[in-house]
Amino acid sequence: TNLAALADTQVAALTVTQAASLTAAQVTSLNATNVAEFSAAQLAAFTTTQIKALTATNMAALEATQIAAFDATQLNAFTATTISALADDQLGALTAGQIGALSANQVKAFTAGNMAALTETQVGALNATQMQSLTATALSALADTQVAALDATQLTSLKTSQIAALSATDIGEFSTDQIALFSTGQVKGFTATNIGDLSDAQVGAPT
């Protein structure tokens, strides 16, 4: 059945059980307007197979509150393409627990806009594996308040290549205490330009 032919009110009228019983092909046939009519309860009942059947366009049509209804298992079914298609407010609606449950490949798909939209609490929820998967563009998008939220485990997990890709402005956002946490190997990732732009306090921080 081509569900796209259903009126929006008919989609909204589906029971949670009916929504959960839709086939992948039926979910794929839905248009963005249809998908936007699903309630949080209906979406929370979706299986991972149904989640994977949602197109990036349809996922982008969901309100932030609808995205927030997905649990960790459902979120892990999002493709990298779907993650990168999320609007900043959609990603910003996820709890710290949901952020922490994302796979490394999903976090790797974060755009600069996605990263900048995260709250300090969400940034602090990223684990070491997720931190290592962030692109240089995503890392550079962090504001100083977000950088300040990074803890020792997150900082020491950064790869030398990630640190080398940071700009002087990015490096300048690290506190002296954070700089002191970097290993000798990580410090070697600093470019000559970055080292030249460090403050006297930052220069004296590495151990």
Side-chain angles (χ1 to χ4, degrees):
T1 303
N2 186 349
L3 296 185
L6 291 178
D8 300 339
T9 52
Q10 292 174 306
V11 171
L14 293 174
T15 66
V16 169
T17 301
Q18 288 174 317
S21 67
L22 297 176
T23 66
Q26 288 175 316
V27 171
T28 300
S29 74
L30 295 169
N31 58 44
T33 304
N34 294 150
V35 172
E37 289 301 316
F38 281 121
S39 67
Q42 288 172 315
L43 292 172
F46 268 29
T47 64
T48 54
T49 299
Q50 290 174 307
I51 296 293
K52 291 176 181 177
L54 286 170
T55 65
T57 300
N58 286 348
M59 196 68 79
L62 296 176
E63 295 290 335
T65 51
Q66 292 171 301
I67 293 291
F70 292 123
D71 63 24
T73 300
Q74 290 173 310
L75 287 173
N76 275 320
F78 283 27
T79 64
T81 301
T82 299
I83 289 291
S84 61
L86 293 179
D88 297 344
D89 66 321
Q90 291 176 312
L91 197 59
L94 299 180
T95 65
Q98 289 173 311
I99 291 290
L102 296 177
S103 70
N105 283 336
Q106 288 175 314
V107 173
K108 187 177 181 179
F110 281 6
T111 64
N114 290 154
M115 202 67 187
L118 296 180
T119 65
E120 288 78 10
T121 300
Q122 289 175 311
V123 170
L126 294 170
N127 59 44
T129 302
Q130 291 173 319
M131 289 294 297
Q132 290 184 334
S133 69
L134 289 170
T135 64
T137 300
L139 276 175
S140 293
L142 288 174
D144 53 358
T145 53
Q146 292 172 307
V147 170
L150 298 176
D151 63 22
T153 299
Q154 291 173 309
L155 289 170
T156 56
S157 70
L158 292 176
K159 295 179 290 187
T160 303
S161 58
Q162 289 176 301
I163 294 174
L166 295 174
S167 68
T169 300
D170 297 328
I171 294 293
E173 291 174 344
F174 290 117
S175 68
T176 54
D177 288 339
Q178 289 176 314
I179 292 287
L181 294 170
F182 286 152
S183 67
T184 301
Q186 288 177 307
V187 172
K188 288 180 180 178
F190 288 8
T191 65
T193 300
N194 288 348
I195 291 175
D197 285 332
L198 291 174
S199 66
D200 292 342
Q202 287 176 310
V203 170
T207 57

